[in-house]
Amino acid sequence: NLSERIRERYGSDVREFSPAEGEGAPDTAALEANRDELREKISSLGEVSLSALEEYNDLERRHQFLLDQQTDLSKSVEALHAAISRINRTTREKFRTTFEEINEKFKETFPRFFSGGRAELRLTEDSDILDAGVEIAAQPPGKRLQNITLLSGGEKALTATSLIFAIFLIKPSPFCLLDEVDAPLDDANIDRFNEFVRDMSKISQFLLITHNKKTMEMADALYGITMEEPGVSKVITLRF
């Protein structure tokens, strides 16, 4: 049967086979071992999938789609980094400019509230100005220059108020609302505070919530809340 199959398939007769010159007979044992090894490899491949080519094409398209998405994301990340860098650069420039302007105004407003002395804003040491902190160094008359945290309650309030007005002078608005700002101030400081507010009221409208009589006397109009009957609030208006 084998001889007949070889004759039909290869057109050769096994009985007429003769090795080439210098070539011995084939090593049957080695060939059989190779055959068994090949059979094991073929068996390990499992069943032949007729849709393997189609699945491969689908996976290849999916892979290409994901690569395109990755490229788009990479470009988006680069664009975001560029935008962040541009924003940080602009912010640094604007912050430094505004900081210097406010510092100059703060040096002018502080002596007016304290009738002397000096104060300034300082940046804490940091490689990046956007990460640096801001410190307030103040020296009321008769005291040495020190951090605002070492001042008394009234001095802190007056220093903070002078800084607020320094910022307000740089970026004024149509009106300003001050809620109990003068509460911790004594009579002398109240007079200086009211004088500054009176000067500032020439460029902006000020709304003050206060219980101080001197501040009320300085105002152009008063709006008071009274309760003549328990649980019933009433608004009283007084204009000068």
Side-chain angles (χ1 to χ4, degrees):
N1 290 337
L2 289 175
S3 298
E4 187 65 25
R5 288 171 59 186
I6 290 174
R7 182 182 302 109
E8 292 177 356
R9 187 165 186 176
Y10 301 105
S12 301
D13 191 346
V14 172
R15 289 172 294 184
E16 297 177 356
F17 171 77
S18 60
E21 183 177 356
E23 180 180 351
D27 187 355
T28 307
L31 292 175
E32 290 179 350
N34 188 30
R35 178 198 60 190
D36 295 338
E37 182 181 356
L38 293 175
R39 284 178 176 175
E40 290 179 1
K41 290 182 178 179
I42 293 174
S43 178
S44 65
L45 294 177
E47 295 292 334
V48 176
S49 176
L50 300 178
S51 61
L53 184 59
E54 183 179 353
E55 293 176 359
Y56 170 79
N57 293 331
D58 292 341
L59 292 175
E60 186 178 24
R61 286 192 294 270
R62 176 64 176 170
H63 179 255
Q64 187 60 45
F65 172 77
L66 293 176
L67 288 179
D68 294 340
Q69 293 292 311
Q70 183 184 24
T71 302
D72 292 341
L73 289 175
S74 298
K75 291 181 179 178
S76 299
V77 170
E78 292 176 359
L80 286 175
H81 286 164
I84 292 173
S85 299
R86 185 173 62 255
I87 292 172
N88 287 342
R89 183 173 60 256
T90 304
T91 304
R92 289 186 185 95
E93 296 174 356
K94 290 185 175 295
F95 177 80
R96 184 174 295 279
T97 302
T98 305
F99 177 82
E100 293 174 354
E101 292 177 353
I102 292 175
N103 196 15
E104 291 299 320
K105 287 295 182 182
F106 182 49
K107 292 178 181 179
E108 297 175 5
T109 58
F110 183 86
R112 292 189 59 182
F113 279 95
F114 284 87
S115 295
R118 63 190 181 94
E120 62 181 2
L121 300 177
R122 298 173 178 172
L123 292 176
T124 58
E125 295 183 2
D126 199 287
S127 58
D128 190 354
I129 191 175
L130 297 181
D131 297 327
V134 178
E135 292 182 350
I136 301 175
Q139 183 181 10
K143 294 187 177 182
R144 62 184 179 86
L145 189 66
Q146 55 190 347
N147 191 285
I148 188 176
T149 57
L150 302 177
L151 301 179
S152 64
E155 291 172 335
K156 288 180 182 178
L158 211 58
T159 302
T161 303
S162 63
L163 177 59
I164 291 174
F165 279 113
I167 298 174
F168 192 77
L169 287 171
I170 298 298
K171 297 291 183 181
S173 61
F175 72 91
C176 178
L177 174 63
L178 301 177
D179 186 3
E180 297 285 356
V181 174
D182 55 355
L185 304 181
D186 56 21
D187 291 341
N189 291 331
I190 282 291
D191 292 336
R192 289 192 291 268
F193 170 78
N194 290 340
E195 181 182 356
F196 198 92
V197 172
R198 189 179 296 108
D199 292 340
M200 292 288 294
S201 63
K202 297 176 182 178
I203 60 175
S204 297
Q205 183 179 14
F206 279 82
L207 306 177
L208 290 86
I209 300 175
T210 181
H211 292 90
N212 190 280
K213 294 181 180 179
K214 288 189 175 183
T215 304
M216 295 180 189
E217 293 174 356
M218 182 266 300
D220 297 326
L222 294 177
Y223 298 91
I225 305 297
T226 184
M227 188 179 292
E228 296 180 352
E229 300 180 13
V232 180
S233 297
K234 182 179 179 180
V235 179
I236 298 178
T237 304
L238 179 62
R239 295 182 179 274
F240 301 102

